[in-house]
Amino acid sequence: MRTLGTTGPRVSDLGLGTMGMSDLYGPADGAESIATIHAALDAGITLLDTGDFYGMGHNELLIHDALKDRDRDGVQISVKFGAQRDYDGNWLGFDGRPAAVKTSLAYTLRRLRTDHVDIYRLSRVDPAVPIEETVGAIAEEVEKGHVRHIGLSEVGADTIRRAHAVHPIADLQIEYSLLSRDIEAAILPTCRELGIGVTAYGVLSRGLLSGHWSKDRRLAAGDFRSVSPRFGGDNLAHNLALVEGLRDLAAAKDATVAQLAIAWVLAQGEDIVPLVGARRRDRLAEALGALDVSLTRDDLDRIQSIIPAGSAAGGRYAAAQLAHLDSEQPVVDN
């Protein structure tokens, strides 16, 4: 178990990210998704991460179905809100207005059929609404008991400070992996200074670090990796070559490449909780095996030599999506 920051909940060492069970990675099997959630809970995972826009409510309904006969108080549900989408799944922007906070939360609670969410966070900063207003509205829901903790998602150091000044922030959810390490410069130190935990998504870089990817793999319709810069052409070949460099060390540790990559994130600090996006029980079992991988200082140095910070080819999102990320905006020196 790990504690999310100084004010957040105690959660399992690994969390389960459920987005792919409903959206953005092609078709998923509903029965297998629920079986995977059950297997995660049985293995001791307590943190389930979702978003109200994953399948436009489908993911929250799926989690409700999976938790029907489970102890609600034994699970922490982390929910992102604010992303606006139409019937066809097109992205329309982000809404962080106080009224949107309260409306989104009400619908989430109805879909989950619970009276509270454990962590509630805006998925992306709304450029038209000061973060203080959004966090202040969530804080009102904390007072009512509908939200237990407030989180952030993909925000930079300045926004973290402004949000935390309004209400204690439990954790920042942000991409962090061997191929995505930009947070180490300013964002992670700021979180540590303020006592804010990190829930790291994309720890396998959407499959690149899994050890199972190949340059010939065909993507299903609707899989957003088809437009991801890291999965295209020469970038993909370069990135897969980096990953191949991990195989010998993984074998020496009696681990898979995926387990080594997850273990690396776990080793970056007790204040970081990796979210694994397993959609199937076999992938979940592999991810859980990372908890048995112990990395020495020599191991960490060797990994650093194989995949140095900044060595990935291509951005983690397309340029248009990166423009929406507060975490990717240049730091202004005051």
Side-chain angles (χ1 to χ4, degrees):
M1 303 292 286
R2 299 184 174 201
T3 301
L4 289 180
T6 56
T7 64
R10 290 279 288 172
V11 300
S12 49
D13 285 331
L14 295 179
L16 180 65
T18 59
M19 180 187 77
M21 297 177 179
S22 298
D23 214 353
L24 299 175
Y25 285 123
D29 182 273
E32 180 62 22
S33 295
I34 289 178
T36 300
I37 294 173
H38 287 169
L41 299 176
D42 292 342
I45 286 180
T46 67
L47 178 62
L48 300 179
D49 182 76
T50 183
D52 62 10
F53 51 94
Y54 293 167
M56 283 74 85
H58 176 273
N59 204 244
E60 291 177 324
L61 294 169
L62 182 76
I63 288 176
H64 162 261
D65 289 344
L67 296 181
K68 276 181 182 176
D69 301 318
R70 299 288 176 142
D71 176 17
R72 169 66 182 90
D73 292 332
V75 179
Q76 295 91 30
I77 304 176
S78 169
V79 180
K80 291 180 291 297
F81 73 95
Q84 307 296 291
R85 303 179 72 182
D86 66 15
Y87 182 83
D88 297 316
N90 297 308
W91 300 91
L92 307 175
F94 302 94
D95 194 344
R97 294 171 301 155
V101 170
K102 298 173 185 295
T103 301
S104 297
L105 178 61
Y107 278 85
T108 281
L109 294 175
R110 293 282 184 171
R111 283 188 290 264
L112 290 171
R113 297 185 193 177
T114 184
D115 63 355
H116 73 280
V117 295
D118 297 276
I119 312 172
Y120 202 52
R121 70 185 85 241
L122 183 64
S123 60
R124 300 287 187 267
V125 171
D126 180 348
V129 179
I131 194 65
E132 291 86 350
E133 292 184 16
T134 303
V135 171
I138 304 175
E140 292 176 7
E141 298 299 325
V142 173
E143 289 295 320
K144 294 176 184 177
H146 297 316
V147 173
R148 296 282 169 84
H149 303 278
I150 300 178
L152 297 171
S153 175
E154 286 289 356
V155 300
D158 178 64
T159 304
I160 293 169
R161 292 185 186 280
R162 290 167 50 202
H164 192 67
V166 175
H167 187 280
I169 301 300
D171 73 312
L172 168 66
Q173 188 173 120
I174 196 163
E175 186 168 355
Y176 188 41
S177 74
L178 277 167
L179 294 177
S180 298
R181 295 175 58 179
D182 288 348
I183 71 167
E184 294 173 348
I187 293 174
L188 184 55
T190 300
C191 286
R192 287 176 168 162
E193 175 192 337
L194 299 175
I196 297 171
V198 170
T199 42
Y201 75 89
V203 292
L204 293 180
S205 198
R206 299 175 179 81
L208 278 177
L209 286 162
S210 68
H212 303 299
W213 205 273
S214 75
K215 62 181 179 63
D216 299 319
R217 178 169 172 174
R218 293 185 178 275
L219 296 172
D223 192 321
F224 93 103
R225 289 172 292 194
S226 64
V227 295
S228 172
R230 289 187 178 171
F231 286 83
D234 292 341
N235 286 350
L236 178 61
H238 171 87
N239 293 330
L240 288 178
L242 291 176
V243 176
E244 281 302 307
L246 297 173
R247 286 200 188 275
D248 286 346
L249 178 57
K253 304 294 292 185
D254 195 24
T256 66
V257 171
Q259 289 167 346
L260 189 68
I262 297 169
W264 180 88
V265 178
L266 283 164
Q268 301 312 301
E270 289 288 323
D271 53 351
I272 299 174
V273 175
L275 298 172
V276 295
R279 300 195 294 171
R280 306 194 320 246
R281 283 168 286 180
D282 59 335
R283 293 290 190 244
L284 172 68
E286 181 181 17
L288 288 168
L291 296 171
D292 297 321
V293 179
S294 178
L295 298 178
T296 66
R297 184 68 259 170
D298 287 345
D299 293 333
L300 293 171
D301 289 343
R302 183 173 172 188
I303 292 171
Q304 167 67 18
S305 69
I306 296 169
I307 305 183
S311 59
R316 58 194 181 99
Y317 288 103
Q321 293 171 299
L322 286 175
H324 290 296
L325 298 183
D326 184 76
S327 56
E328 292 286 336
Q329 303 315 305
V331 176
V332 178
D333 187 358
N334 294 321

